[in-house]
Amino acid sequence: MLRWTRAWRLPREGLGPHGPSFARVPVAPSSSSGGRGGAEPRPLPLSYRLLDGEAALPAVVFLHGLFGSKTNFNSIAKILAQQTGRRVLTVDARNHGDSPHSPDMSYEIMSQDLQDLLPQLGLVPCVVVGHSMGGKTAMLLALQRPELVERLIAVDISPVESTGVSHFATYVAAMRAINIADELPRSRARKLADEQLSSVIQDMAVRQHLLTNLVEVDGRFVWRVNLDALTQHLDKILAFPQSPSHHPEIMRLFPRAQMQTVPNAGHWIHADRPQDFIAAIRGFLV
């Protein structure tokens, strides 16, 4: 199966008088993106892992997809850091992995989380690699704050509303329905959860991806992903914020866009074809 890896970069002269290859675009906030009582949502202190490297080279930042976590890129991050000598950052999005939970979930606030984190770590401008949901977050970050993004790689995702993916709501419902007794060994609990999910989700790869979120807390097995927030805001996650000019196409938003195919890969390209994925990234960094 063919999947697209979409990549954008700034011109080699950087943010000079000729401007970036993607312009700062004012994005209209969604009507439900504000916090309770009309207050603006605040950035959260995201969980991350930073591998050391040469400070003179732009760092590489990996953003995972829906139901994922920074651990999705552990192996690839290590290899890329060793092969390129760059600093490599992997990040848990809000309501995912080890990052804090919040009732607020939108691309606007996920972009704000990164606008807060990346300068704090001294990693800007950086190369941002975003998969699926992380790719949309990366694209919005580049449109809102192009000076923070040296190059951009969006994996298997476009800056438009996702269609044909209503199964995500099915995944959430199936995860909510899991019933596991307390104090079970982890291996047994994982097997039971897999059996219960399999009645709704036949794809083993999808189940294994979802089960990375099953964790033990005080003798009870729970989902570390915030299912309440994802359920409430799933429509926004599947969409993409509209700009006032309503640019409909990738080339309108990212006029220097390049596209590359990674053959024989499904949606989780980094898991299906890790060496080809790394080679594509390294080729883009040259």
Side-chain angles (χ1 to χ4, degrees):
M1 182 179 296
L2 297 180
R3 297 290 182 182
W4 292 106
T5 297
R6 297 180 173 88
W8 296 270
R9 72 178 73 190
L10 287 178
R12 292 191 181 276
E13 62 268 21
L15 292 167
H18 300 291
S21 59
F22 34 83
R24 184 189 299 269
V25 175
V27 177
S30 59
S31 59
S32 56
S33 64
R36 295 178 180 177
E40 286 295 320
R42 294 183 179 181
L44 293 180
L46 302 180
S47 177
Y48 63 86
R49 184 185 185 197
L50 179 60
L51 301 180
D52 199 14
E54 176 55 57
L57 296 174
V60 179
V61 178
F62 283 96
L63 308 178
H64 63 79
L66 186 62
F67 304 117
S69 71
K70 62 181 180 291
T71 60
N72 295 158
F73 295 106
N74 275 353
S75 298
I76 286 174
K78 290 178 183 178
I79 294 172
L80 201 62
Q82 292 169 356
Q83 292 183 351
T84 68
R86 295 174 184 247
R87 296 163 294 171
V88 179
L89 180 75
T90 53
V91 185
D92 283 333
R94 60 171 51 214
N95 296 315
H96 290 73
D98 297 320
S99 285
H101 285 192
S102 167
D104 300 308
M105 189 75 181
S106 68
Y107 288 112
E108 291 90 345
I109 190 58
M110 286 190 282
S111 173
Q112 286 293 327
D113 288 339
L114 293 171
Q115 292 176 39
D116 190 61
L117 175 66
L118 297 177
Q120 284 184 21
L121 297 178
L123 299 182
V124 294
C126 58
V127 178
V128 185
V129 183
H131 173 246
S132 197
M133 179 187 77
K136 287 188 176 182
T137 302
M139 287 185 277
L140 185 60
L141 174 68
L143 291 170
Q144 291 181 324
R145 297 288 303 278
E147 73 276 12
L148 302 184
V149 181
E150 196 256 352
R151 301 186 186 198
L152 166 64
I153 301 175
V155 183
D156 204 37
I157 201 69
S158 300
V160 296
E161 182 175 357
S162 302
T163 58
V165 288
S166 59
H167 49 259
F168 283 135
T170 303
Y171 297 166
V172 172
M175 294 167 75
R176 284 183 177 277
I178 293 298
N179 184 16
I180 301 175
D182 296 346
E183 306 295 343
L184 285 179
R186 176 172 174 77
S187 59
R188 177 60 178 158
R190 185 181 176 90
K191 183 178 180 180
L192 284 174
D194 184 52
E195 290 173 353
Q196 293 177 43
L197 289 175
S198 66
S199 64
V200 179
I201 305 170
Q202 283 71 47
D203 191 325
M204 181 181 294
V206 173
R207 296 200 307 273
Q208 295 303 309
H209 178 64
L210 298 178
L211 286 170
T212 61
N213 290 287
L214 188 67
V215 296
E216 184 180 5
V217 178
D218 298 328
R220 298 180 62 245
F221 286 92
V222 298
W223 298 109
R224 64 179 177 177
V225 65
N226 187 345
L227 294 178
D228 290 338
L230 297 188
T231 299
Q232 182 180 356
H233 300 294
L234 189 59
D235 58 335
K236 286 189 286 185
I237 295 172
L238 298 181
F240 188 78
Q242 291 284 345
S243 71
S245 54
H246 300 288
H247 291 171
E249 299 175 355
I250 293 172
M251 297 305 296
R252 293 285 299 278
L253 289 172
F254 303 93
R256 292 168 61 92
Q258 303 172 9
M259 291 189 181
Q260 182 169 345
T261 300
V262 176
N264 304 314
H267 181 58
W268 291 289
I269 297 172
H270 48 284
D272 294 339
R273 307 289 294 182
Q275 295 303 321
D276 292 341
F277 183 64
I278 292 170
I281 293 175
R282 289 193 63 189
F284 186 64
L285 296 178
V286 174

